[in-house]
């Protein structure tokens, strides 16, 4: 027998179709996550000169990814509040429409700059979709079913990670690079039709006011910080005055954002939530997971395609174990939590992820490919045992009517962690590669040296233009990239270890009995 739920209760008609509603929400989530996983496979093609690609540099590729994640993260606070205020179904529908339009425009981009801009437009739509899916979920499932539903929802992320690279590889084998964005349009149309039919609307009966100043400060601060980090990687010099001043300005603006939100009577980010150590630790864990994962995924595509010579489709298939592990374990992670508690489950997941990331530091050009497959599976397993328990802690820490805000916070930290992971680890990769290759480019004409030193793709492009004279660069480029990848992988592993330490110190342990488990949930929700 279920416990009584404060008014308004979930209507019986909604309760009966809750699993169908979850399916529609996962389809909406699918396209948001699918887009990034597809792009990961396409980045090598997009970096190829026209007409095959856009000739994007490594920094432009980082911005093509980060324009999405930064705009997404910066707008999530406000998107969650708007959903709580005007209705989650309305913002879901509106967000999907904007995302679909942005996808169609991105497919027709004529330059890296246009692609970056249209990716930001896609993020505007995605920012309204992602938090609303979890907020609706929390309003159609009773509390005792929420962990199971969130586990399935997290498994949907694994499904998207699986479908994305494979779909992207198939499309790139048969169509032009823009097809990886155009594929979103029919999925959006199907999701819109099902959503209008099935999904109920819900809102916060006491929504907060919007916070435009906070939104501007958060977006400006994040963009400055990430731009400075990426620019430092481009120059292979983080002591450059431009780099230091930009990073410093980003930190100052973000500090001003925190101060402003603390003093505001209608903050988009309620900093009082973070007085709860459990809530804060769950947020930190999920951010650090995506910091490590997104950064490593970024370089693993270049490893499989540029160093190992696999096609986009083959690279997508190689990532299948990572996605399969998430799909298998994310819905079942709650069973591990029930037996061992959030602390043990999340800490073990992060330690497993750290070990898998460190394994990349042992990879060479001839490492057996099955070893890579095992490592990807372990990465997915570790992620599944972090995402589900931390998502449950975060979503149950706030009242149901604040579900949009809780979801927005969770996804913001996930996206910011991913954006910083790509920026920081991408810059580590770029700096280490440039330092490793610079001394080997002396025979090139002066005008080509800087270009060839930007990335492995740039070096291979210059080698192709030189014909037989450029063959000597191929082995040099591979060696320099592998060395850079080893350094970057160890940095990612270190970040995951920090996350494991945070989880071990602050997340709740195993409840001794069902009553204490209920009391523990109440303490988390109360912020004690």
């Amino acid at each position: 027998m279920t416990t009584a739920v404060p008014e308004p209760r979930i209507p019986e008609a909604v309760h009966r179709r809750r699993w169908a509603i979850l399916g529609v929400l996962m389809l909406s989530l699918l396209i948001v996550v699918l887009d990034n996983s597809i792009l990961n496979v396409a980045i090598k093609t997009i970096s190829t000169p026209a007409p095959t690609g856009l000739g994007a540099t490594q920094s432009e590729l980082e911005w093509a990814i980060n324009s999405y994640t930064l705009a997404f993260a910066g707008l999530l606070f406000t998107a969650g509040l708007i959903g709580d205020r005007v209705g989650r179904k309305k913002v879901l529908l509106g967000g999907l429409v904007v995302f679909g339009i942005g996808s169609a425009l991105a497919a027709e981009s004529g330059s890296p700059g246009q692609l970056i801009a249209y990716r930001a437009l896609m993020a505007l739509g995605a920012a309204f979709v992602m938090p609303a899916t979890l907020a609706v979920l929390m309003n159609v499932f009773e509390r005792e079913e929420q962990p199971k539903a969130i586990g399935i929802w997290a498994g949907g992320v694994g499904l998207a990670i699986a479908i994305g690279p494979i779909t992207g590889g198939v499309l790139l084998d048969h169509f032009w690079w823009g097809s990886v964005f155009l594929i979103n349009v029919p999925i959006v149309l199907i999701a819109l039709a099902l959503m209008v039919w099935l999904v109920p609307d819900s809102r916060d009966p006491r929504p907060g006011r919007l916070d435009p100043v906070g939104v501007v400060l958060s977006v400006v601060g994040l963009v400055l910080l990430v731009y400075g980090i990426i620019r430092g990687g481009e120059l292979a010099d983080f002591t450059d005055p431009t780099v230091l001043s930009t990073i410093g300005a980003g930190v100052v603006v973000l500090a001003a954002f925190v101060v402003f939100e603390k003093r505001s009577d209608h903050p988009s980010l309620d900093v009082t939530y973070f007085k709860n150590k459990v809530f804060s630790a769950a947020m930190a864990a999920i951010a650090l997971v995506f910091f490590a994962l997104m950064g490593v995924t970024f370089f693993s595509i270049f490893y499989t395609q540029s160093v190992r010579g696999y096609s986009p489709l083959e690279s997508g298939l190689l990532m299948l174990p990572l996605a399969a592990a998430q799909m298998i374990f994310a819905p079942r992670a709650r069973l591990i939590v029930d037996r061992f508690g959030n602390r043990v489950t999340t800490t073990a997941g992060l330690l497993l992820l750290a070990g898998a990331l460190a394994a990349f530091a042992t990879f060479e050009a001839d490492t057996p490919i099955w070893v890579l497959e095992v490592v990807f599976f372990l990465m997915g397993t570790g992620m599944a045992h972090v995402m589900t328990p931390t998502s449950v802690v975060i979503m149950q820490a706030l009242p149901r009517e604040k579900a949009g805000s809780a979801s927005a916070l969770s996804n913001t930290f996930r996206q910011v962690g991913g954006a910083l992971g790509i920026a920081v680890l991408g810059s580590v990769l770029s700096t280490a590669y440039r330092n490793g290759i610079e001394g080997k480019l002396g025979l090139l004409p002066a005008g080509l040296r800087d270009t060839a030193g930007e990335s492995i793709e740039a070096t291979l492009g210059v080698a192709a233009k030189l014909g037989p004279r450029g063959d000597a660069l191929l082995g040099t480029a591979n060696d320099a990239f592998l060395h850079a990848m080893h350094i970057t992988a160890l940095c990612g592993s270190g970040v995951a270890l920090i996350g494991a330490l945070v989880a071990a110190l602050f997340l709740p342990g195993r409840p001794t009995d069902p009553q204490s488990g209920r009391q523990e949930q109440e303490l988390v929700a109360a912020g004690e």
Side-chain angles (χ1 to χ4, degrees):
M1 183 175 178
T2 59
T3 56
V5 179
E7 293 293 335
R9 291 181 61 86
I10 299 171
E12 180 60 28
V14 172
H15 184 72
R16 281 200 305 269
R17 63 176 191 266
R18 63 196 185 282
W19 297 110
I21 292 169
L22 178 60
V24 179
L25 297 177
M26 288 176 64
L27 182 62
S28 304
L29 174 72
L30 181 74
I31 58 169
V32 175
V33 180
L34 181 80
D35 182 72
N36 267 337
S37 58
I38 279 184
L39 183 62
N40 283 335
V41 174
I43 54 178
K44 181 180 182 295
T45 305
I46 294 171
S47 70
T48 306
T52 303
L54 294 176
T57 65
Q58 183 156 316
S59 62
E60 286 171 335
L61 289 174
E62 290 177 30
W63 274 112
I65 297 172
N66 282 337
S67 65
Y68 183 92
T69 52
L70 286 175
F72 187 54
L75 294 168
L76 274 169
F77 297 137
T78 297
L81 284 173
I82 291 175
D84 289 344
R85 174 185 288 270
V86 304
R88 284 93 184 218
K89 180 176 182 176
K90 294 183 183 69
V91 300
L92 261 174
L93 293 171
L96 283 171
V97 169
V98 173
F99 185 87
I101 293 170
S103 298
L105 292 171
E108 300 298 329
S109 298
S111 68
Q114 287 184 4
L115 177 61
I116 291 167
Y118 292 140
R119 289 271 298 160
L121 178 63
M122 293 169 66
L124 172 63
F128 286 87
V129 173
M130 180 72 94
T133 60
L134 259 183
V136 171
L137 181 155
M138 298 299 286
N139 278 274
V140 298
F141 284 91
E142 299 288 2
R143 188 177 182 90
E144 61 271 14
E145 281 190 322
Q146 287 171 4
K148 181 180 180 181
I150 290 173
I152 295 171
W153 180 90
V157 175
L159 179 64
I161 293 173
I163 293 174
I166 296 169
T167 304
V170 170
L171 291 171
L172 291 171
D173 272 3
H174 296 89
F175 304 102
W176 92 116
W177 65 266
S179 61
V180 301
F181 297 110
L182 199 60
I183 191 65
N184 291 333
V185 176
I187 302 175
V188 164
L189 294 174
I190 294 169
L192 285 170
L194 291 173
M195 198 168 294
V196 169
W197 176 35
L198 285 172
V199 175
D201 207 356
S202 62
R203 66 184 70 192
D204 184 349
R206 295 182 297 278
R209 286 188 289 156
L210 299 183
D211 178 26
V213 175
V215 172
V216 171
L217 287 174
S218 65
V219 173
V220 170
L222 286 169
V223 169
L224 286 171
L225 178 63
V226 172
Y227 175 78
I229 294 169
I230 292 176
R231 184 61 179 160
E234 278 183 322
L235 299 174
D237 181 11
F238 283 87
T239 62
D240 181 85
T242 305
V243 173
L244 288 175
S245 60
T246 306
I247 292 176
V251 171
V252 169
V253 173
L254 289 174
F257 166 72
V258 172
V259 172
F260 180 83
E261 296 300 283
K262 193 172 182 179
R263 295 179 177 178
S264 174
D265 60 354
H266 57 286
S268 55
L269 171 60
D270 191 340
V271 294
T272 61
Y273 296 156
F274 293 93
K275 292 180 179 178
N276 180 340
K277 291 180 181 179
V278 172
F279 182 82
S280 298
M283 286 291 190
I286 210 164
L288 291 170
V289 161
F290 275 80
F291 181 101
L293 182 81
M294 292 295 286
V296 171
T297 302
F298 184 76
F299 72 63
S300 69
I301 294 299
F302 287 102
Y303 172 70
T304 56
Q305 294 188 33
S306 299
V307 176
R308 303 299 296 261
Y310 289 102
S311 70
L313 175 56
E314 290 168 335
S315 291
L317 291 170
L318 287 175
M319 294 188 71
L320 196 56
L322 188 152
Q326 282 206 46
M327 291 170 61
I328 292 168
F329 293 113
R332 295 169 174 80
R334 64 187 176 84
L335 303 175
I336 306 297
V337 173
D338 288 345
R339 182 165 183 178
F340 298 105
N342 277 296
R343 181 188 301 145
V344 171
T345 305
T346 306
T347 302
L350 283 159
L351 289 174
L352 183 58
L353 181 63
L357 296 178
F360 275 93
T362 68
F363 286 5
E364 302 295 340
D366 58 354
T367 297
I369 205 63
W370 66 264
V371 177
L372 176 65
E373 298 298 87
V374 171
V375 169
F376 274 146
F377 187 83
L378 293 176
M379 286 173 64
T381 303
M383 274 197 69
H385 289 92
V386 176
M387 283 184 61
T388 298
T390 53
S391 295
V392 171
V393 167
I394 291 164
M395 293 305 295
Q396 293 192 341
L398 301 182
R400 175 178 292 181
E401 61 272 14
K402 299 294 183 184
S405 298
S407 176
L409 275 171
S410 172
N411 285 292
T412 296
F413 272 69
R414 185 180 300 158
Q415 293 298 320
V416 170
L420 289 175
I422 291 168
V424 173
L425 296 184
S427 294
V428 170
L429 182 73
S430 180
T431 301
Y433 181 79
R434 184 182 287 273
N435 290 339
I437 198 78
E438 269 180 343
K440 314 292 175 58
L441 301 176
L443 298 178
L444 291 178
L448 290 179
R449 287 176 199 164
D450 282 344
T451 301
E454 284 184 356
S455 66
I456 186 172
E457 277 306 303
T459 308
L460 296 179
V462 168
K465 289 179 182 177
L466 294 175
R469 290 185 301 145
D471 289 347
L473 283 176
L474 301 181
T476 301
N478 283 349
D479 289 343
F481 178 82
L482 288 169
H483 175 68
M485 183 181 81
H486 295 164
I487 294 172
T488 309
L490 291 175
C491 290
S493 178
V495 170
L497 286 174
I498 293 171
L501 180 62
V502 170
L505 290 175
F506 299 112
L507 286 184
R510 178 187 177 188
T512 54
D513 56 58
Q515 180 61 33
S516 68
R518 283 195 296 272
Q519 290 172 349
E520 179 184 275
Q521 286 184 337
E522 290 167 2
L523 289 175
V524 169
E528 295 181 9

